[in-house]
Amino acid sequence: MQLLNLKIYEPTQKLSDDALHLIDENGLDWYESQSKFKDNTLKIACDDQAIIRSSSFDISMLWPVSLSVFEVDKNKIPKGFPEQPDDNWIFDGKKIAPREVPKSELLAQAEETRAQLMAEANQKITPLQDASDLDIATEDELAQLKAWKTYRVLLSRVDISSAPDIDWPPLPA
């Protein structure tokens, strides 16, 4: 059983006023189709790039809006497949396999990590710098300020072109 490219729609008869309904590209209703899935299979929800976004043995645990749903025999689940998918697995229509993450995505993830770490460093530096500028910083605060500024410089020098194998500088103590 499979449901392809599920979208929200308004059925003629709703389950309740609060319920949202999904329909696939072949006109199959999400709620009406759930009983057609086998009990002993893994149900996976994939995006349009075949990346597995969620999975469960219980079909009712999925909410696959803008996704497609497939079922996989439990004996065909590969070793290492996580209980909660982490965007590192794909389904090619027949089998689950590890996903080859494109270099562009790895670089974007590294840039995002650096931006988050830089924001954290800036948050730590700002009050310490204020104390220094006002000549009211303690020796400990001055040492922290130097450590966080050093960390920020080291972050800016990180070569992200080697993503995902990046040696991030350690956070200051």
Side-chain angles (χ1 to χ4, degrees):
M1 178 65 186
Q2 64 185 24
L3 296 170
L4 304 174
N5 197 22
L6 288 151
K7 303 287 182 204
I8 295 175
Y9 84 111
E10 286 288 326
T12 53
Q13 287 190 329
K14 292 180 89 172
L15 293 176
S16 77
D17 288 338
D18 296 335
L20 289 175
H21 289 259
L22 300 177
I23 193 167
D24 90 334
E25 64 186 39
N26 296 312
L28 297 172
D29 180 90
W30 167 243
Y31 292 111
E32 291 173 5
S33 299
Q34 288 183 19
S35 63
K36 297 176 184 169
F37 284 85
K38 298 174 187 163
D39 288 337
N40 62 348
T41 58
L42 179 68
K43 288 68 166 181
I44 56 173
C46 304
D47 66 13
D48 59 359
Q49 296 177 2
I51 299 170
I52 300 172
R53 300 297 181 181
S54 62
S55 67
S56 178
F57 282 94
D58 180 355
I59 190 73
S60 68
M61 297 303 292
L62 301 179
W63 179 242
V65 65
S66 300
L67 301 173
S68 295
V69 178
F70 304 91
E71 58 185 337
V72 177
D73 185 281
K74 64 182 175 183
N75 296 322
K76 293 187 178 183
I77 301 170
K79 276 191 173 201
F81 183 73
E83 197 169 306
Q84 293 299 317
D86 53 10
D87 300 343
N88 290 320
W89 294 85
I90 59 168
F91 182 69
D92 67 4
K94 295 181 181 170
K95 68 180 187 311
I96 296 172
R99 175 176 173 244
E100 299 264 341
V101 181
K103 186 68 172 178
S104 60
E105 191 174 325
L106 294 172
L107 292 173
Q109 289 170 354
E111 280 289 357
E112 177 64 25
T113 298
R114 178 170 32 204
Q116 289 172 350
L117 294 172
M118 200 62 90
E120 181 181 352
N122 290 336
Q123 187 177 22
K124 298 286 187 178
I125 289 169
T126 300
L128 296 169
Q129 185 64 56
D130 290 347
S132 176
D133 292 348
L134 294 169
D135 290 324
I136 59 173
T138 66
E139 291 300 316
D140 181 53
E141 287 171 329
L142 291 173
Q144 287 180 49
L145 178 61
K146 182 177 181 185
W148 278 104
K149 282 186 170 185
T150 301
Y151 172 74
R152 186 169 61 179
V153 169
L154 293 174
L155 267 181
S156 71
R157 293 179 179 169
V158 168
D159 177 14
I160 63 162
S161 67
S162 61
D165 300 318
I166 296 177
D167 187 20
W168 297 102
L171 284 169

